[in-house]
Amino acid sequence: MGLLDGKVCFVTGAGRGIGEETVRRFAEEGAIVYGTDLINGSMDESFGKFCTQYKTEVIPMYFDVTDETASKSAIMQIKREQGRLDVLVNNAGIMQDNVIGMISYELMKKVFDVNVFAVLQITQLAAKLMMRQRSGSIVNISSIVGSEGAAGQTVYSASKGAVAAMTKAASKELSPYGIRVNAVAPGLINTDLFRAIGEKKIQENLSHVRMGRLGEPIDVANVITFLASDMSAYVTGEIIGVDGETHV
Ligand code: NAD
């Protein structure tokens, strides 16, 4: 028996990093998993492998989460093919920033479009289905900087703070329908997004992690799996840190 046997799950930003590892863990636990990412074909190989390895359905869908029409079609496709949606993981996110004084309005809008508005929109679409079922689990990906902030990351920090706040608000509104809404707040996780800051900065940042190592995508995916599963049936409105005691 897997933790997610038969559950229908949807993971955004599933092409690499935390999203891809979450899809793998979900499949390993017996879920039927839909994943979306931007680049056509980028998930075909990994998803094919997960299907064979875990003997379940792992289905790629290619679209930009900021595309409202495409997001709606994706949720409708899941409804048509499976009749339900048990788990939504709002993982797709971008980290782009600049120092105060140099932040363009365009950059603010771009980051908030992906990290905040798309999360709100896809949550609404998924919640409609889940409300009818009177069950569901939504897991958002915030960040340690969403509560602590980081110099040079005002926009990204603000967007992740918004994710934490919307998690709490949505949890209050949706719990009467049996829908749980939680978030994870990762610290420094060893993915392409994080590694883009460069080796020198990575080493500097590592000195702020009391556990003395970067987190791996599986460290985050395991907590997401717990929040997606019935193991956390009475947990909602929580922001769970996955940071090995990091001080930003
Ligand atoms: P990543 O960049 O390695 O992977 C993110 C994936 O999301 C990519 O495959 C990308 O193509 C996809 N994506 C981006 N914009 C998209 C869009 N508009 N539509 C569809 N897909 C899109 O990042 P990651 O490190 O795995 O991060 C995953 C999440 O975790 C993000 O929300 C990120 O902000 C958050 N996070 C990461 C860290 C870290 O240290 N890596 C720390 C805290 C929070």
Side-chain angles (χ1 to χ4, degrees), residues 99 149-154 157:
V99 291
Q153 291 200 317
T154 305
S157 300

Side-chain angles (χ1 to χ4, degrees), residues 12 19 28 55 64 74 78-79 85 91 96 111 115 118 127-128 133-134 140 154 158 180 189 216 227 237 240:
T12 68
E28 189 174 34
K55 298 183 176 40
D64 187 326
I78 296 171
K79 184 176 177 236
L85 176 62
N91 167 75
Q96 290 177 10
V111 171
N115 292 7
K128 275 189 192 159
Q133 297 162 194
R134 302 197 78 79
N140 295 327
T154 305
R180 299 182 296 108
I189 310 300
E216 294 299 326
L227 291 171
I240 301 184

Side-chain angles (χ1 to χ4, degrees), residues 98-222:
N98 214 333
V99 291
I100 291 169
M102 299 298 288
I103 304 164
S104 69
Y105 211 87
E106 199 187 340
L107 183 138
M108 296 179 214
K109 283 201 264 192
K110 193 172 169 194
V111 171
F112 269 71
D113 250 354
V114 180
N115 292 7
V116 182
F117 303 142
V119 174
L120 264 170
Q121 181 57 16
I122 294 178
T123 294
Q124 291 201 89
L125 294 165
K128 275 189 192 159
L129 253 183
M130 291 173 172
M131 280 161 105
R132 262 180 247 138
Q133 297 162 194
R134 302 197 78 79
S135 69
S137 172
I138 298 172
V139 185
N140 295 327
I141 317 298
S142 180
S143 164
I144 190 170
V145 302
S147 57
E148 304 303 314
Q153 291 200 317
T154 305
V155 179
Y156 181 71
S157 300
S159 75
K160 291 300 183 178
V163 170
M166 84 168 82
T167 300
K168 290 198 169 275
S171 161
K172 288 189 167 72
E173 191 168 329
L174 296 176
S175 51
Y177 297 93
I179 303 167
R180 299 182 296 108
V181 189
N182 292 288
V184 294
L188 310 173
I189 310 300
N190 190 10
T191 67
D192 293 339
L193 175 135
F194 174 68
R195 297 208 81 89
I197 68 172
E199 202 49 46
K200 189 165 165 269
K201 278 203 159 166
I202 291 174
Q203 290 313 318
E204 267 170 41
N205 275 312
L206 250 179
S207 64
H208 301 297
V209 187
R210 289 240 164 91
M211 284 189 79
R213 69 164 177 91
L214 295 179
E216 294 299 326
I218 193 164
D219 293 318
V220 184
N222 280 335

Side-chain angles (χ1 to χ4, degrees), residues 57-77:
E57 288 176 74
V58 187
I59 302 135
M61 297 188 287
Y62 296 98
F63 66 92
D64 187 326
V65 290
T66 64
D67 181 337
E68 211 183 315
T69 312
S71 298
K72 201 168 182 179
S73 304
I75 298 289
M76 280 166 68
Q77 182 187 332

